[in-house]
Amino acid sequence: SALGCRDITIWDPIPERAKEHAARYPGMKTVDTFEEGLQQKPDAVFICSPPALHMPQAEKAILAGCHVMVEKPLAIDMESLLKVKALAEERNRMVSVALCNRYHKGLQRIKEIVDSGCLGKIINIRGAMGEFFPESRPDYRGTYYVQYNGCFELIHGVDYTVWVAGGEPQQIYGICGSDADIGFYSPDNAEVLFRTDNGVTCSVNLAFYQSPSHNELTVYGTEGTCELKYTHNDYTIRTYTRATRQWQEERMDGLYRNMMFAAEDKEFLESITSGVYRGCSMADAARAVKIYCKVYGDQNPPPEGWR
């Protein structure tokens, strides 16, 4: 390809699943272990395993000389995250985090509006991300989502709220639990409250029991308000400023889910080929992990057998 990708190898702990994926794409190879894949000395490794494996596998990949793209949540504890971050810096390896919602055109647009200053000083941001998980993932009872992580798998909602706020979360509080009777041992809902060091108070709701699926962000500033609602296929933004004294609406249709993944992967691969890093860094993603650990993760490690 134009980005120089030639050899792609896949490893999955379920061999049949790896072979099934490889059969769809001519030329893709499979290996029996993660370590066997690293022995082939790839330029880049994409880590799409359950969150408890992210940092151990990223560490191995960096030690093998690879650049790394890691799925979200980046880590389940800050200690391992900071250890791998220091290793990546020491070995001069790029690590990007797959927080794909940052590449959604609606979120990019609201970030532009906030950064333009038309809303004045930002005081408060409210984010929400919810879906009815038994419908979107019928096999959910056999996943790690149910055993650990739960609705924090929707950490996109936390990440894009911090991203738009533009500061470091400091005062962090939260309530989470399994209350919807859909078979979760981990939380199926969470309410998170935090304040950033640049003075923005933020609240985020995450839920795996809600219908219909929704993604929302509302930003309140001293000079106006901006509201975003989006799906994989479209977005609507309503903006009110004291200067215009009226709501202005913009909408975009014709989007599709894979656009976000393609954009983040392209940016990561271009960073490798150019040597100029662009993307969601470990330092960026650490802000959401810090909130996750404070509200839930540090006190709730994965049960044995669900790594």
Side-chain angles (χ1 to χ4, degrees), residues 56-73:
Q57 289 178 338
E59 182 177 5
K60 290 181 180 180
I62 292 167
L63 289 171
C66 308
H67 301 290
V68 184
M69 169 71 83
V70 189
E71 259 298 342
K72 53 76 194 171

Side-chain angles (χ1 to χ4, degrees), residues 104-283:
H104 190 283
K105 292 187 179 297
L107 281 160
Q108 291 179 335
R109 178 64 184 130
I110 201 170
K111 175 70 169 164
E112 289 176 358
I113 292 170
V114 170
D115 290 348
S116 75
C118 70
L119 301 180
K121 180 182 178 182
I122 305 305
I123 304 299
N124 180 257
I125 301 179
R126 295 179 181 176
M129 179 172 272
E131 63 181 84
F132 187 59
F133 202 52
E135 185 173 80
S136 59
R137 185 73 184 267
D139 65 341
Y140 74 101
R141 290 180 185 272
T143 67
Y144 67 85
Y145 301 72
V146 169
Q147 298 293 329
Y148 76 97
N149 249 42
C151 64
F152 287 97
E153 192 68 17
L154 300 173
I155 202 166
H156 295 291
V158 175
D159 174 70
Y160 61 60
T161 303
V162 178
W163 181 49
V164 173
E168 183 71 29
Q170 293 185 330
Q171 298 169 263
I172 302 170
Y173 310 93
I175 299 173
C176 59
S178 178
D179 305 304
D181 298 326
I182 54 175
F184 270 71
Y185 299 101
S186 57
D188 54 31
N189 72 98
E191 191 73 29
V192 177
L193 178 68
F194 60 93
R195 182 178 174 86
T196 59
D197 59 359
N198 58 341
V200 184
T201 300
C202 304
S203 61
V204 186
N205 178 260
L206 307 176
F208 265 156
Y209 69 91
Q210 295 175 351
S211 298
S213 298
H214 64 98
N215 307 287
E216 302 173 10
L217 192 68
T218 302
V219 182
Y220 299 95
T222 56
E223 297 296 322
T225 299
C226 191
E227 301 174 343
L228 166 69
K229 293 185 178 182
Y230 74 96
T231 70
H232 296 312
N233 304 315
D234 56 56
Y235 74 79
T236 300
I237 290 179
R238 298 175 69 241
T239 305
Y240 181 98
T241 65
R242 280 155 42 86
T244 63
R245 297 288 179 177
Q246 61 182 350
W247 285 99
Q248 296 178 331
E249 183 173 296
E250 56 183 276
R251 179 178 174 85
M252 178 176 283
D253 298 293
L255 306 177
Y256 56 93
R257 187 170 184 261
N258 201 47
M259 290 177 71
M260 300 184 294
F261 302 117
E264 72 178 0
D265 290 350
K266 180 174 183 290
E267 191 167 72
F268 172 59
L269 295 173
E270 286 179 341
S271 295
I272 295 172
T273 56
S274 69
V276 179
Y277 181 76
R278 294 171 59 225
C280 181
S281 68
M282 293 188 76

Side-chain angles (χ1 to χ4, degrees), residues 49-56 72-76 144 148-149 153 292 307:
S49 52
L53 293 174
H54 289 175
M55 290 300 92
K72 53 76 194 171
L74 172 60
I76 61 170
Y144 67 85
Y148 76 97
N149 249 42
E153 192 68 17
Y292 161 78
R307 295 186 63 81

